Amino acid sequence: MTERAIATEQCCIAIVGGGSAGLALAAEARRLGAKNVVVLEREQSAGGVPRHCGHYPFGLREYGRLMKGPDYARRNVAAACAVGVDLRTGATVSRLLPGGGLEVVQDGYAYTVRAERVVLCTGVREASRAQRMISGDRPSGIVTTGALQGMVYLAGQAPFRRPIILGSELVSYSAIQTCAHLGIRPVAMVEEEPNTLAPGQLQLYLRLRGVPLHTGVSDLAIRGKGRVEAVSFTDMTGQRLAIETDGVIISGRFLPESALLRASHLEVDPLSGGPVTDQHGRCSDPAFFAAGNLLRPAETSGFCWREGRRAAAHVVADLARPRDMDRHTVAIRAEDPAIGFVSPQRVVIGRESSASGPLHVGLALPLNGVLQATSAGRVLWSGAGKARPVRRVHLPLDKILAARPEADIVVSRVEVR
């Protein structure tokens, strides 16, 4: 019996993921002259995370008006379709092939896409309870912020009435806004770090909403038989507390959506969890690029939109160059326990040495001092900074490259005493 051949399509640029970065990149690539741009989105509706965020603020810098998330997502979709982007929803990419190939399943039909350039824009997801190693019982009523947004805004369902929020990133405050949409009143925000991970000014918002804050907690445990009944923890004074609740929102601690990447031939950075790229988003296979929060968790939708537009210029320009073009690169690495990751992880030196964006430095520990970038013992750039863990600081990559590094670039911290 002869196997049926799988159809193969050709295109100029194929983008995996129809969120803010992918849609902005696709629209800009078309405006810059790319003839055939295809966006492959596995969900039935494109737009990414903002589709689930029925609150402000979105779109002010991109479109000059303040929008709620779903309106912003629809505007991004409309902008891409208006310039002729081939947007395919319900299209799951199952495999990345060397040289720009994609295996796709759509409506039960399998086909292959061969693109001159592929851009990965698969975004991030929140760490699960298991990944955060939260102990206790296994009752119902435990959701991530993303799942909560889908229940509230898309289905109009209230999974609980008096939840506890575990986490204190910006998305944790977004969870409070989501809860308010259906009259859900969180009873506490709980954070393991000594301080909130979002800016401290937002604690005023907690007070206005009547949400008590507990920071510096340890030994978190969820209790309940059948349904969540309480969350217990040890506070900073060593006292064991238990707060009664009917639900838990596991919030933040974002991870790149990298399952497809990890099963591929592309090099993965073990620290960020995303692909190893140069300053233009080019991956280890030069037919592949990446943009958006897949590169590093996690920036706002607006940031990813702007990054997508910048990436489009580099992808379109790269189409004029041979894939096997010899590029001199140097690595960027961190040598400090306070630094969780850097992105990009290498830079092209020479004709392509311009910077597409900042050097992202993800913090594992609090920063209060000076960050510096050195090469072969020579300081390329240094600057004072203060930031909380799980946050990112942005170093001026253009200035670092202007100092003409000749060997690996090392990012480290000089503490102020």
Side-chain angles (χ1 to χ4, degrees), residues 188-347:
M189 178 179 286
V190 177
E191 173 57 60
E192 294 166 290
E193 295 292 336
N195 299 293
T196 57
L197 300 180
Q201 302 93 301
L202 286 176
Q203 291 183 35
L204 175 60
Y205 179 74
L206 294 181
R207 290 194 288 272
L208 292 173
R209 288 285 186 175
V211 180
L213 172 66
H214 301 267
T215 58
V217 311
S218 58
D219 303 321
L220 273 167
I222 298 173
R223 302 299 179 195
K225 295 181 179 179
R227 182 79 194 180
V228 174
E229 299 172 2
V231 171
S232 63
F233 54 86
T234 302
D235 69 11
M236 284 194 291
T237 69
Q239 182 180 3
R240 190 69 184 172
L241 301 178
I243 300 176
E244 293 185 1
T245 180
D246 64 350
V248 175
I249 304 170
I250 307 289
S251 180
R253 299 298 202 278
F254 289 99
L255 302 170
E257 189 63 78
S258 59
L260 186 63
L261 173 69
R262 291 182 179 278
S264 77
H265 63 293
L266 299 175
E267 186 179 356
V268 178
D269 177 29
L271 299 179
S272 70
V276 171
T277 66
D278 66 18
Q279 72 267 40
H280 305 311
R282 188 185 294 110
C283 300
S284 55
D285 179 340
F288 285 81
F289 283 71
N293 276 332
L294 174 65
L295 295 176
R296 87 284 83 194
E299 300 289 349
T300 65
S301 294
F303 185 101
C304 293
W305 186 91
R306 293 186 291 276
E307 184 174 71
R309 293 194 67 183
R310 288 196 303 268
H314 293 291
V315 175
V316 171
D318 198 65
L319 288 167
R321 304 185 183 103
R323 289 184 183 176
D324 58 354
M325 175 181 174
D326 183 32
R327 298 178 173 94
H328 173 56
T329 64
V330 299
I332 305 178
R333 52 191 172 84
E335 288 191 351
D336 195 300
I339 299 174
F341 68 86
V342 294
S343 177
Q345 298 82 12
R346 65 171 188 258
V347 287

Side-chain angles (χ1 to χ4, degrees), residues 59-258:
L60 190 58
R61 292 184 63 180
E62 299 91 306
Y63 299 112
R65 56 178 294 192
L66 201 58
M67 304 178 184
K68 291 185 177 181
D71 297 326
Y72 174 73
R74 286 190 288 269
R75 182 68 178 266
N76 286 341
V77 169
C81 293
V83 293
V85 171
D86 182 357
L87 175 57
R88 305 179 189 181
T89 57
T92 300
V93 176
S94 58
R95 190 180 175 196
L96 308 180
L97 305 174
L102 302 171
E103 291 184 358
V104 185
V105 178
Q106 186 176 7
D107 298 327
Y109 174 66
Y111 60 97
T112 299
V113 173
R114 283 286 173 186
E116 294 181 57
R117 298 295 185 273
V118 172
V119 190
L120 304 177
C121 299
T122 52
V124 291
R125 56 182 171 81
E126 289 172 288
S128 67
R129 173 187 178 175
Q131 289 167 323
R132 292 178 63 164
M133 295 184 288
I134 300 172
S135 65
D137 302 321
R138 294 290 184 268
S140 63
I142 304 172
V143 300
T144 62
T145 313
L148 173 70
Q149 290 170 335
M151 292 176 184
V152 170
Y153 292 124
L154 301 185
Q157 297 176 349
F160 32 58
R161 285 295 171 188
R162 301 178 67 255
I164 284 178
I165 301 171
L166 300 185
S168 64
E169 298 178 50
L170 285 174
V171 71
S172 309
Y173 294 82
S174 174
I176 298 175
Q177 292 180 282
T178 301
C179 287
H181 188 72
L182 290 183
I184 302 168
R185 298 179 63 87
V187 295
M189 178 179 286
V190 177
E191 173 57 60
E192 294 166 290
E193 295 292 336
N195 299 293
T196 57
L197 300 180
Q201 302 93 301
L202 286 176
Q203 291 183 35
L204 175 60
Y205 179 74
L206 294 181
R207 290 194 288 272
L208 292 173
R209 288 285 186 175
V211 180
L213 172 66
H214 301 267
T215 58
V217 311
S218 58
D219 303 321
L220 273 167
I222 298 173
R223 302 299 179 195
K225 295 181 179 179
R227 182 79 194 180
V228 174
E229 299 172 2
V231 171
S232 63
F233 54 86
T234 302
D235 69 11
M236 284 194 291
T237 69
Q239 182 180 3
R240 190 69 184 172
L241 301 178
I243 300 176
E244 293 185 1
T245 180
D246 64 350
V248 175
I249 304 170
I250 307 289
S251 180
R253 299 298 202 278
F254 289 99
L255 302 170
E257 189 63 78
S258 59

